Amino acid sequence: MSFAAAKAATSDPIQSVSVPSYTRLTAKPDPHVAYTVAVSLPTRTYSIQQRYSAFAALHHELAASCGAPPPADLPPKHPGSWFLAPLAAARDLTDAQLDERRVGLERWLRAILADRDPRWRSSRAFKDFLAAPPEGNPAGAGAGGPDAGSRDWTATAWTAEHAAVEGSARTLRTTLDRRDAQLLASSSSAHATAKEAKTALVDLVRRIGDLARGLQVLAKDGITDGELQRRSALVQRLQGEVEELGRKAGSGPRAGAGRASANGAAQGGGDEPPTAARQALLGEASAGRAPARVLGAAAAASLETPETRPLDNGGIMQLQQQYMDEQDSKLEALTAALRRQRHLGEMINAELALQEDVLDQLDAGTDRVKGKMKDAQKQMKRL
């Protein structure tokens, strides 16, 4: 393999793809079979569900947009399905027939991914079908995420954004762990790390709200009730995880706790503190002089601020603790907002279940009215 080919292979976010299973979905009014597509990226794996008609539409779109059909043939519809109703065709196929189709779909996807000609796997339609992240962001965990307020939500776009939010949550957990370690070591970068975690937490709350609003758009576009409930459960799980991250962000260790315990163990409790020893050595000449911190020119230009410049080490620790207390109060407000969003999601689920019951009752009532109309027509004919 040449250097250019190797570079192109490593820059491609999709590493492998498979179709490990299928699921029979019997929810009305659109019962069908959904095939699980597992996608492997350089840093994570995820799965989506697509029906056979989506594979067929992608095949035709790739043939039209790329100037040639894909390198492998799509498995055809089973001959017996032509004699069945459109909504019940895949549902009434046997397990052996569905498994044969699953193997064929997997072979079709892998042929596109492994072909030397990259035009099919590089097309936007193929990446949208697999809900792959954009080029340059293989992890799918960008800080800002897509602009949910100005985008058109589709099922694949929603799945990609959900995967990106999950990646951002994992990144935030790593950032909080790093902040805790810096606080225990009394590092001066703990405040910047805590601020970064706070910004990421606010962004996560916003993006989870965008996912909830995206579900409302998908519900209006006609997504099935079962799929809508599954995605609502995913949003609720994300809300619970972010609530836990909010509690973790608000309950960090006190700055310098690890260093203080280490110093106490080293001193043994009976020796004079180092600060007192230094004051005794310096004498009365330095007794009336306020303690100060001496930094180099580069450090002073990059670290010092008007608030920290006149403070000594103790003042810096107090100011840092004050900042942490303020962040704790803001994080508590964010946690309360997350609880409200989770409650709203539960209410949406309850409303969906109620509407489904109402639709079932309406169908039953329609059937009864049709029966009565037929009886009435028969009596009119007799008369």
Side-chain angles (χ1 to χ4, degrees):
M1 181 183 293
S2 64
F3 175 76
K7 184 177 180 181
T10 55
S11 62
D12 194 351
I14 303 175
Q15 301 295 312
S16 65
V17 64
S18 63
V19 185
S21 61
Y22 61 86
T23 304
R24 297 177 184 265
L25 301 176
T26 59
K28 296 180 180 180
D30 186 19
H32 63 277
V33 175
Y35 296 88
T36 301
V37 181
V39 183
S40 296
L41 302 180
T43 57
R44 64 183 178 88
T45 59
Y46 65 93
S47 61
I48 59 174
Q49 287 189 334
Q50 297 285 8
R51 56 196 303 175
Y52 178 81
S53 59
F55 284 90
L58 176 63
H59 183 85
H60 292 302
E61 186 173 356
L62 291 177
S65 61
C66 298
D73 294 330
L74 191 71
K77 282 182 173 291
H78 194 271
S81 64
W82 292 104
F83 304 100
L84 303 175
L87 293 180
R91 183 188 61 189
D92 291 343
L93 294 178
T94 64
D95 292 338
Q97 292 170 339
L98 289 177
D99 193 67
E100 180 182 358
R101 177 181 292 181
R102 178 194 64 79
V103 174
L105 294 175
E106 181 177 272
R107 187 184 303 114
W108 181 76
L109 288 174
R110 289 183 173 178
I112 294 176
L113 194 62
D115 196 79
R116 292 184 177 181
D117 192 344
R119 52 180 166 172
W120 296 287
R121 66 173 177 267
S122 300
S123 66
R124 188 69 262 172
F126 184 71
K127 293 181 179 180
D128 287 342
F129 176 82
L130 295 179
E135 296 292 342
N137 186 19
D147 186 2
S150 60
R151 65 179 294 176
D152 295 330
W153 282 103
T154 61
T156 54
W158 193 97
T159 303
E161 174 62 7
H162 174 265
V165 172
E166 283 187 329
S168 298
R170 289 192 294 268
T171 303
L172 175 58
R173 188 178 296 276
T174 303
T175 304
L176 290 173
D177 292 339
R178 186 171 72 251
R179 180 213 63 178
D180 293 346
Q182 291 171 350
L183 283 175
L184 290 174
S186 297
S187 174
S188 59
S189 58
H191 175 65
T193 306
K195 185 176 181 181
E196 177 187 352
K198 173 187 172 183
T199 303
L201 183 60
V202 173
D203 184 67
L204 272 179
V205 173
R206 177 186 62 80
R207 294 172 71 183
I208 290 176
D210 292 340
L211 285 176
R213 287 187 289 272
L215 282 182
Q216 298 177 2
V217 176
L218 294 179
K220 293 179 182 179
D221 291 343
I223 191 173
T224 61
D225 293 338
E227 183 66 13
L228 188 61
Q229 291 179 3
R230 185 186 71 84
R231 294 176 185 246
S232 298
L234 292 177
V235 173
Q236 289 183 8
R237 187 166 57 198
L238 273 178
Q239 289 174 345
E241 183 177 357
V242 173
E243 283 184 10
E244 179 185 354
L245 290 174
R247 289 191 293 269
K248 180 179 177 63
S251 61
R254 292 185 62 86
R259 181 175 297 179
S261 60
N263 290 339
Q267 293 170 6
D271 297 333
E272 187 179 6
T275 54
R278 284 198 298 269
Q279 290 177 2
L281 289 174
L282 291 175
E284 298 180 355
S286 61
R289 186 169 55 190
R293 293 172 294 111
V294 179
L295 297 176
S302 60
L303 298 178
E304 289 291 339
T305 64
E307 290 180 325
T308 61
R309 190 170 292 112
L311 300 177
D312 59 358
N313 290 333
I316 288 292
M317 298 299 294
Q318 292 179 0
L319 181 62
Q320 187 176 11
Q321 188 62 39
Q322 179 182 352
Y323 284 157
M324 296 300 297
D325 293 339
E326 292 176 358
Q327 289 179 0
D328 289 346
S329 61
K330 293 178 181 179
L331 288 174
E332 289 177 359
L334 283 175
T335 304
L338 283 172
R339 291 196 186 99
R340 290 194 296 269
Q341 285 190 358
R342 184 172 185 176
H343 180 64
L344 179 61
E346 293 174 353
M347 292 176 61
I348 291 175
N349 278 339
E351 181 67 23
L352 288 174
L354 179 61
Q355 290 182 3
E356 187 176 0
D357 293 339
V358 171
L359 289 175
D360 292 340
Q361 295 177 5
L362 181 61
D363 290 340
T366 303
D367 294 339
R368 288 196 299 269
V369 171
K370 286 182 180 179
K372 292 181 181 179
M373 290 293 295
K374 289 181 180 179
D375 294 339
Q377 288 178 359
K378 291 180 181 178
Q379 293 179 3
M380 290 293 295
K381 289 180 181 180
R382 293 195 191 98
L383 292 176

